Amino acid sequence: MNPGPSVDPAVTDLLGLLAYAELGSFFRLTDDAALAPTLKDKGRLASLAAEEQRRYERLRERLVEVGAEPEEAMAPFVEPLDSWHARTEPQSWVESLVKTYVGDGIAGDFYRKVAELADPDTSVLVETVLAEDSRGAFISETVRAAVAEDPALAGRLSLWARRLVGEALSQAQQVAVARPRLAALLAEDGGGDDAGIGDLAGVTRLFGSIADRHVARLETMGLSD
């Protein structure tokens, strides 16, 4: 099934990218739940994983609504997202939590910026899917507790978070190059070619514009940039 003529192909790309990202988050959080040190932590992570699964289903339903085949829409993003996760394999349970909050969070900021220029229904759905309240509260609380117990963790986790940002930028660049119609969506933001993300410098500028949210996440976890 192909998208109808009135559907912007960039929207199909955005939905496919997010759907695969949410599916991956479900599996990672399931793995994290299995490794969690307490039954309470296992239960909370299992709940977060279930939430990711529900978000994936909503994105999949939206793809069907716009006339796209969900698996076909997700397929172009399997390799870049899987490669990013392979490059950022955490070495501990706490590192995995920081990756979920910082890595997925800054990537989500990027997706949110793109979604602002999509149709209203898609924009609202993306904003809902990328909400961080439950996940952020749990992770920040857990990381703060771990750092309080072992202060030496703070420096290591801060460096880990910095690396995640660099890898997220690399991921966004790969996606922008591979899917120019998705990248071109931001070029509609009134700034012409210089303000778009059709080139690597544009992606870097975009990440600079969302740096404040990254700093806020670090502060919430008791870390520094």
Side-chain angles (χ1 to χ4, degrees):
M1 186 185 302
N2 295 319
S6 62
V7 176
D8 187 342
V11 171
T12 301
D13 273 354
L14 176 62
L15 293 170
L17 170 58
L18 279 171
Y20 187 68
E22 291 297 321
L23 186 60
S25 291
F26 163 74
F27 286 115
R28 292 198 314 280
L29 285 169
T30 300
D31 290 341
D32 288 345
L35 296 173
T38 69
L39 285 175
K40 182 179 180 180
D41 289 336
K42 289 178 185 293
R44 294 181 75 175
L45 281 168
S47 295
L48 291 176
E51 186 177 322
E52 296 296 321
Q53 172 66 11
R54 288 191 292 270
R55 292 174 175 180
Y56 161 73
E57 292 294 345
R58 292 186 66 184
L59 288 162
R60 196 178 188 283
E61 289 168 4
R62 179 60 179 162
L63 280 163
V64 173
E65 287 175 4
V66 301
E69 174 59 46
E71 285 68 36
E72 289 181 6
M74 289 187 282
F77 307 105
V78 172
E79 195 282 327
L81 289 183
D82 285 359
S83 294
W84 183 74
H85 289 301
R87 294 195 305 269
T88 56
E89 186 69 27
Q91 300 302 307
S92 69
W93 185 66
V94 176
E95 282 191 5
S96 72
L97 294 181
V98 173
K99 175 181 174 179
T100 296
Y101 194 30
V102 172
D104 290 0
I106 202 164
D109 292 341
F110 173 80
Y111 304 148
R112 190 179 285 106
K113 284 287 187 181
V114 178
E116 287 175 359
L117 297 161
D119 62 273
D121 288 342
T122 297
S123 296
V124 171
L125 174 59
V126 170
E127 185 64 36
T128 301
V129 165
L130 294 175
E132 297 179 349
D133 293 346
S134 298
R135 180 172 59 185
F138 167 69
I139 292 176
S140 60
E141 174 188 318
T142 305
V143 173
R144 277 185 175 275
V147 170
E149 184 175 335
D150 181 6
L153 272 176
R156 191 172 83 229
L157 293 177
S158 295
L159 289 174
W160 171 238
R162 187 176 302 172
R163 179 187 166 194
L164 289 169
V165 173
E167 293 288 359
L169 173 58
S170 176
Q171 175 202 7
Q173 290 172 336
Q174 290 181 43
V175 170
V177 170
R179 309 300 290 182
R181 67 189 188 185
L182 178 59
L185 199 59
L186 272 181
E188 300 172 13
D189 197 18
D193 292 340
D194 186 58
I197 59 170
D199 57 86
L200 301 187
V203 177
T204 303
R205 288 193 297 273
L206 176 58
F207 265 70
S209 74
I210 58 181
D212 288 347
R213 294 190 67 160
H214 166 63
V215 172
R217 290 187 187 99
L218 291 184
E219 291 176 348
T220 299
M221 292 186 291
L223 305 177
S224 59
D225 196 2

